[in-house]
Amino acid sequence: MTIKRSVAVIGSGFAGMAAAAVLAKNDIRVTVLEKNETTGGRARVLREAGFTFDMGPSWFWMPDVYEKFYNIFGHTTSDFYELKKLDPGFAVIFGGNEVWDIPADFEEICNLFEDTEKGAGAQLQKFIDDGALKYQIGMGEMVYKPSHSILEFMSLKLARDAFKLQVFSSFKDHVRQHFRDPRLLALMEFPVLFLGAMPKDTPAMYSLMNYAGLKQGTYYPMGGFGKVAESFLKIARSNGVNIKTSHAVEALTVSDHTIVSVRGKDMLLPTDGVIGTADYHHIESQLLPEVFRSYPESYWEKRIMAPSCLIFYLGVHKKIDRLRHHNLFFDESFEAHAEHIYKDKMWPLKPLFYVSCPSKTDESVAPDGMENIFILMPIATGLTDNDAIREEYYDKLMERLEKFAGEDIRSHVIYKKSYCVSDFVHDYNAYQGNAYGLANTLMQTAIFKPKIKSQKINNLFYAGQLTVPGPGVPPSVISGQIAAHEMLKTLKK
């Protein structure tokens, strides 16, 4: 009788569950080890006082990535949840409480641009057509490559495709070739602030994000983003994956450059391989002897991190008429806030922030007549945070939110929880308390990211937001799949 090979997956976020499911489907015995009491990673769910809060991801873009994953297992998105296209997709609040509702219909968005700046409608069409090509290339064959070396991209077709992606052009310059109005610039650059780096340091390739948001549209999984994490859990379990929560990994036992077991409190798990989807730096620096680490501490200190964030989960005992489902508060300087994150590494003086109010779409996430509110302010990684600082910013953000809403909100808050840098460190062992991984700079793209395969250990692979393809839920889903397929190649040798 053939003995099944076994793999331990560290972490139960999207990358971990995707990797585990693919391995199990290929007849590997898989054990997922999760340090927290619940699965889902950053997409965990908080249920309190009748409210259901998504603790992390709340924007559903790139539905094709999820559908492609589900199809591997003979499923489709609707098998797990109803996916609703939002209209408006989101709202942007500028100075003077000027509100732009971004329609679901792309032609209407073009009209909005044209009404704002003569010729901008046609420019948007051109910009999005270009973004669509980048999406087709970037999210097609290229994004599923493990990026071990430049040789993977050396075919004539991929070389031509890489040129079309504008990897060496600045996103800031690319946007300004098409638009001048500062409101249009802010609208086009916001995905970069929340997921990447300064626009001037981000490759123009990432205009594919604008295509995803403005042309494909913004969706919402009814029941909340936790339903998406739950679907990955269901697929993993249905394929035989063994999931152990409250099982923190404390060390990896290495023999002859090969991991032979995973150790934790009251746990010793023999294994033929490990996929680490927990924080890459934590696995390297805390679970491995120094001689087996791919990167020294000095390497990590030189990385440019995407933001961390300060989050508030609020249960409000009334409805708030002016709020939409997704609300971007761009009533202060985009450039100044970005500099405070990436250049000055300080708490922002006049921050931009984001408010999600899913109870506008989904009555199941809040008691009748109430609102479920999630407030997120991007900040630099590594900042010191404490209750006093959190309360200071709570009042600052709520003052602006109440000014926009035209009504008192604070006195109607019946549930409140904050989440910040120290929580990301405690719950996810996140390097410098990062929320989104590495910034999307040129020198941290594809082959320049931390490698998906350990450079010192034969059967250790990484997946998630600190390796390829990058930050965000869809890239993490893809990352798990890449790591699983690379592990399968190793196990067959």
Side-chain angles (χ1 to χ4, degrees), residues 57-362:
S58 60
W59 289 81
F60 195 108
W61 282 359
M62 306 183 183
D64 50 302
V65 173
Y66 301 90
E67 181 67 12
K68 188 172 182 179
F69 176 78
Y70 295 142
N71 290 167
I72 294 169
F73 303 92
H75 290 293
T76 188
T77 303
S78 59
D79 291 342
F80 302 106
Y81 47 84
E82 177 192 350
L83 196 58
K84 184 172 183 178
K85 190 171 188 178
L86 299 181
D87 191 9
F90 54 96
V92 187
I93 295 94
F94 297 108
N97 274 355
E98 179 185 8
V99 183
W100 282 12
D101 283 318
I102 308 303
D105 182 77
F106 181 67
E107 191 173 328
E108 290 181 30
I109 301 176
C110 290
N111 293 337
L112 172 65
F113 273 57
E114 186 62 33
D115 291 343
T116 304
E117 178 179 295
K118 187 173 175 54
Q123 286 296 314
L124 177 63
Q125 183 67 66
K126 182 180 175 184
F127 189 95
I128 294 300
D129 285 348
D130 175 69
L133 177 63
K134 290 172 183 169
Y135 190 90
Q136 181 185 349
I137 296 169
M139 299 304 293
E141 180 185 355
M142 197 167 284
V143 78
Y144 286 88
K145 289 194 171 294
S147 295
H148 295 313
S149 81
I150 192 67
L151 296 177
E152 295 171 32
F153 304 93
M154 292 305 286
S155 74
L156 184 59
K157 179 181 183 301
L158 282 180
R160 285 199 306 264
D161 286 347
F163 178 76
K164 293 173 188 173
L165 283 173
Q166 293 184 284
V167 235
F168 300 106
S169 303
S170 154
F171 185 84
K172 179 178 180 178
D173 292 343
H174 182 54
V175 172
R176 279 157 181 76
Q177 287 170 5
H178 295 80
F179 313 106
R180 296 184 304 277
D181 189 285
R183 294 165 297 181
L184 298 180
L185 298 177
L187 173 59
M188 301 304 283
E189 289 179 346
F190 96 82
V192 171
L193 174 67
F194 281 79
L195 284 179
M198 294 278 285
K200 67 180 178 62
D201 299 321
T202 302
M205 171 179 75
Y206 287 101
S207 64
L208 65 83
M209 295 289 290
N210 301 101
Y211 165 76
L214 298 180
K215 189 66 181 284
Q216 285 189 328
T218 301
Y219 293 82
Y220 174 76
M222 294 299 286
F225 218 99
K227 290 290 185 184
V228 188
E230 186 181 291
S231 71
F232 279 65
L233 174 63
K234 287 178 178 177
I235 289 173
R237 279 189 171 146
S238 68
N239 280 272
V241 174
N242 184 17
I243 297 158
K244 295 179 177 289
T245 55
S246 300
H247 274 66
V249 175
E250 296 177 352
L252 301 173
T253 307
V254 183
S255 174
D256 192 24
H257 295 273
T258 301
I259 295 174
V260 293
S261 66
V262 178
R263 290 188 286 122
K265 185 180 179 182
D266 303 322
M267 175 184 71
L268 179 63
L269 180 69
T271 188
D272 296 309
V274 170
I275 294 183
T277 71
D279 185 90
Y280 199 129
H281 172 267
H282 171 75
I283 294 173
E284 287 248 307
S285 64
Q286 300 301 314
L287 307 188
L288 287 172
E290 188 171 354
V291 67
F292 294 119
R293 296 170 192 169
S294 297
Y295 302 101
E297 192 64 25
S298 58
Y299 169 87
W300 293 103
E301 290 169 355
K302 293 173 184 174
R303 296 310 92 194
I304 300 173
M305 305 305 296
S308 185
C309 50
L310 170 59
I311 302 171
F312 295 101
Y313 310 100
L314 306 178
V316 182
H317 195 276
K318 69 171 183 177
K319 303 302 284 185
I320 303 167
D321 291 340
R322 289 204 76 194
L323 276 181
R324 280 64 163 172
H325 186 127
H326 294 300
N327 310 264
L328 295 165
F329 282 79
F330 279 22
D331 48 339
E332 296 291 352
S333 167
F334 181 101
E335 193 74 23
H337 189 164
E339 288 197 2
H340 290 161
I341 293 175
Y342 297 109
K343 182 180 174 185
D344 305 323
K345 295 283 186 180
M346 61 180 280
W347 282 90
L349 299 177
K350 295 180 177 179
L352 310 182
F353 64 103
Y354 156 64
V355 177
S356 175
C357 188
S359 46
K360 291 293 179 189
T361 303
D362 185 354

